[in-house]
Amino acid sequence: MTEDNSADSQGEFEKLQDEQQLGLMAEFWLFIKEEKKWWLAPIVVVLLAVTVLVALTSTGAAPFIYTLF
């Protein structure tokens, strides 16, 4: 009986290994959607916007960004 359980669990692990891995953002979006944590969405959007602004300050677009503030 233990042989059947180990064979079944090994098959399940092999199936999970063959599945395609989700990216970080896709996995986070799936978490928000399934767990009904919609209050996290605005926080993520603001963090992404700040990240984009910080990344753009090291490029040639920096003078144009500084004039916005």
Side-chain angles (χ1 to χ4, degrees):
M1 183 153 180
T2 54
E3 291 176 12
D4 291 336
N5 288 340
S6 64
D8 288 339
S9 63
Q10 185 180 12
E12 291 176 25
F13 284 124
E14 289 174 354
K15 289 177 186 177
L16 290 174
Q17 181 182 6
D18 292 338
E19 289 183 4
Q20 184 179 3
Q21 296 288 328
L22 293 176
L24 179 65
M25 292 303 293
E27 196 167 323
F28 191 69
W29 177 252
L30 190 63
F31 168 75
I32 288 176
K33 195 168 77 172
E34 287 183 0
E35 298 294 325
K36 307 288 191 251
K37 305 283 186 189
W38 293 109
W39 57 270
L40 286 172
I43 297 170
V44 172
V45 169
V46 168
L47 285 174
L48 287 174
V50 168
T51 303
V52 168
L53 281 175
V54 168
L56 288 176
T57 57
S58 62
T59 65
F64 301 109
I65 293 173
Y66 290 132
T67 58
L68 295 175
F69 299 103

